[in-house]
Amino acid sequence: MREEQEFIGRLHARVDALRGGAVEGVEQALVPVGTGQQARLERDILVAERSGLLAALDAVDGSLCFGRIDRRDGPTHHIGRVGVREDDGERTPVLIDWRAPVARPFYLATGHTPMGLRRRRHIATEGRRVTELHDEILDLGDEDRTGFEDPNGDTVLLAALNSARTGRMGDIVRTIQAEQDAIIRAPHRGVLVVEGGPGTGKTAVALHRAAFLLYERRELLAKRAVLIVGPNPAFLRYISEVLPALGETGVLLSTPAELFPGVRATGTDTARAAAVKGGEQMAEALALAVRDRQRLPEPGAPVVVPHDDGDLVIDWEIAYEARQAARDTRLPHNPARPHFVFRIIDALTAQLAERIGADPHGGPNFLGPDDVALLGRDIARSKEVHAAIEELWPPLTPEGFLTDFLAEPVYLPEKDADALRRAPGEGRWTPADVPLLDEAAELLGVDDSAERAAAEAVRQERIGYAQGVLELSRGSESYEFEDEESEVLAAHDIIDAERMAERHEETDHRTAAERAAADRTWAFGHIIVDEAQELSPMAWRLLMRRSPTRSLTLVGDPAQTSEEAGTGSWREILGPYVADRFEHVTLKVNYRTPAEIMELAAGVVRERDPSFVPPLSVRSTGEKPWTRDAGDDLAGAVAVAVAELTPREGRLAVIAPLTLHEEIAAPLPGVTPGAAPDLARPVVLLGPRQAKGLEFDHVLVVEPARFATSDLYVALTRATQRLGIVHREELPRALR
């Protein structure tokens, strides 16, 4: 114990020096293991992000070091959440980052395959004080003993599983299991699907995989950022502290509803409307609706534009030729529009030139090219001409276009259109609208020609100014020895005006994650999707646009699919994008749910699918789930059950249908129905879909007969200790 206490003291002394030190100290302490150009590149990135890294050190300060490995023939290494090095010129490691290859035996070594180790030590700390040591002997021939041997080797894991929950997910770096480690360190290529039932740690594995990839491929991912997509805001708050505690702060966490910059999707859809909006048929319907906005005059009913020299006429033939030319560019609607505008203006110019310059005696047109160009400029400035063009090919925004589409949904079966129909100004954007807005934005594009022209004008102005400065520099030179060639280099000898102007351009100091959040077209280096089975086909189209390299880790459980638009088949999800070129792995061990609760929950799914095999629980608590009939007083029965279950430490979740929240919330301490759930409170009230991905010490499920099978399965598997069920209606058969 004394030896480890001394080490922890030295480690924190080094960290304290870093906090008060210079950039070089951060560089030396936190650069990942490596040599040559790769290490220099990583060092540059880390130094540039030093403020974020110091914040990461603050996040993990309480337990920087959690383990040690002793080799048979070689050095002893302490393992921690981030790597720390000495400031000794040699950059000697003090603490090895858990992601470094040298740390891997800490997670994989066994007595049968010791991987060169003779001992593995688990270190528990509180602040800077060592509180517990647990040693595992891996070389059975080594007779050296410390007095901290753990006879079964599972003490640390079981302690973590049984510890009280805090309302925030913690990292699992101390207890990563072999099957989890293989997924976390899987090569960075293509699509990896991680399937696992409740409590298998798939979310924690995905987050640790994000941290590992950022460590291994920092030069790529620090520039392109990693996106982590979760099912709801409560879930994102729940996992928000994991990556900072692993030394990573440059990750964007988002729900699918937050992936269209500038839109807050706070409205709600009916289940039917959400399912229709998520269906793949919406992509074709929206594409056809956009083409409908590229109109032609009716034959025999041309658009007439008043002009001082006589009316101008846009007939069907002129508009058709202009529309075809614009469509032939294969550009989205808005970028293609200038091509349509040019053709219309060109046709009207020819029309006017022929009228003005015509020889009444049939001779040649007497207008020259310069005269025709003047007429063209006049027509191009005409408000009446542009008003007519806007009727035929209007500039469109995604929000405006989708508002009109939902007011009168076209190219859909009538029953689907009825489910979507929403008058302009009626209701707010919903989560299911966001993929449609993104699809519309892709179809419409942005005509940024005016912005690009303005930016180029500013650039040329800067170059002109820089050129003037250089000319002044050249003109101000005077040499005392005019007959000798000066060896003094002036400004114009080493830099030209264009490069000088670039040095004065404004620099974007936002992180990659911040820039990505504001840019709909951002291409992420890697995307991790939790509860991936819930996403609709339209949501997948949105995400795949964010990942042109198809570098994704998908995490989910088809048995927990609850959204009507969700897809329970990985091949169905990925087929349109990567065919069968994806890797599929399954986590089969349940670390969260006790065997007694898992047996009950599995019975619910088996009612629908008799072949269902649940994940294997690693522990039993001896606490069987119980049920209680509420009689006529549901709220009172819930209040009594909550009082019985509320732990001295940890968290209790009451999971009930949203329609009952108002009725049962009043007697619950600190609970406001309809408010965003505060997972840090001792008691929290949730709907079943709000509970996805979360875990609590104790759970009370209310009125399970009103839950869909998948929702009930989710609700029953959130508890780490005890589960109670209160009902007024008859219980589902599997729970009787």
Side-chain angles (χ1 to χ4, degrees), residues 50 90 249 347 500 571 689:
R50 92 184 208 275
E90 299 294 326
T249 56
M500 185 175 178
R571 289 194 179 278
R689 298 186 186 184

Side-chain angles (χ1 to χ4, degrees), residues 278-284 287 435 438-439 442-443 536-547 550 573 576-577:
E280 58 187 8
Q281 77 281 359
M282 290 299 302
E284 182 179 1
D438 196 73
E439 188 76 24
E442 198 71 11
L443 293 166
S536 68
M538 291 302 293
W540 280 114
R541 288 175 67 87
L542 178 155
L543 282 178
M544 290 299 180
R545 292 188 195 105
R546 309 299 197 270
S547 181
R550 302 294 187 258
I573 290 171
Y577 307 103

Side-chain angles (χ1 to χ4, degrees), residues 195-406:
E195 184 175 328
T200 53
K202 55 188 181 293
T203 297
V205 166
L207 294 173
H208 288 68
R209 176 163 171 75
F212 176 77
L213 292 176
L214 282 162
Y215 172 87
E216 188 186 49
R217 306 284 302 265
R218 191 172 298 278
E219 73 281 6
L220 168 66
L221 298 183
K223 296 175 184 176
R224 301 308 310 164
V226 172
L227 170 66
I228 296 180
V229 179
N232 55 60
F235 173 84
L236 294 182
R237 288 192 295 273
Y238 177 65
I239 68 171
S240 62
E241 296 177 6
V242 175
L243 285 167
L246 297 175
E248 298 299 344
T249 56
V251 176
L252 177 63
L253 276 65
S254 177
T255 67
E258 296 168 328
L259 287 175
F260 193 87
V263 167
R264 294 183 67 247
T266 57
T268 57
D269 276 311
T270 64
R272 175 63 183 155
V276 173
K277 288 178 179 180
E280 58 187 8
Q281 77 281 359
M282 290 299 302
E284 182 179 1
L286 292 173
L288 292 172
V290 168
R291 289 177 71 87
D292 277 353
R293 303 300 297 272
Q294 301 162 4
R295 304 186 183 103
L296 300 175
E298 291 293 330
V303 175
V304 178
V305 183
H307 191 271
D308 292 342
D309 293 307
D311 291 344
L312 301 173
V313 176
I314 306 174
D315 58 21
W316 186 92
E317 288 79 7
I318 289 174
Y320 176 81
E321 189 277 335
R323 185 179 75 172
Q324 201 58 41
R327 286 181 174 177
D328 285 346
T329 65
R330 299 187 179 276
L331 293 170
H333 175 88
N334 289 324
R337 186 175 182 274
H339 297 268
F340 179 81
V341 172
F342 173 80
R343 292 298 184 112
I344 294 294
I345 289 176
D346 196 42
L348 295 180
T349 300
Q351 192 178 111
L352 187 59
E354 183 177 351
R355 179 188 307 160
I356 293 176
D359 184 340
H361 304 292
N365 192 306
F366 57 78
L367 293 181
D370 291 342
D371 299 317
V372 174
L374 285 172
L375 291 178
R377 283 195 289 273
D378 177 60
I379 290 174
R381 288 193 293 265
S382 167
K383 293 181 180 179
E384 291 79 7
V385 168
H386 282 284
I389 291 173
E390 285 199 13
E391 286 295 316
L392 300 175
W393 192 300
L396 298 173
T397 66
E399 293 89 341
F401 167 74
L402 188 59
T403 296
D404 292 343
F405 177 86
L406 293 176

Side-chain angles (χ1 to χ4, degrees), residues 133-150:
L133 300 178
H134 296 278
D135 287 346
E136 296 178 64
I137 304 302
L138 301 172
D139 181 358
L140 300 181
D142 185 351
E143 297 181 358
D144 183 26
R145 294 294 182 265
T146 64
F148 299 106
E149 282 73 27
D150 181 356

Side-chain angles (χ1 to χ4, degrees), residues 582-598:
F582 63 91
E583 186 177 355
H584 182 200
V585 295
T586 304
L587 293 167
K588 299 179 180 179
V589 179
N590 186 334
Y591 299 98
R592 175 207 303 148
T593 317
E596 295 85 355
I597 296 177
M598 199 65 226

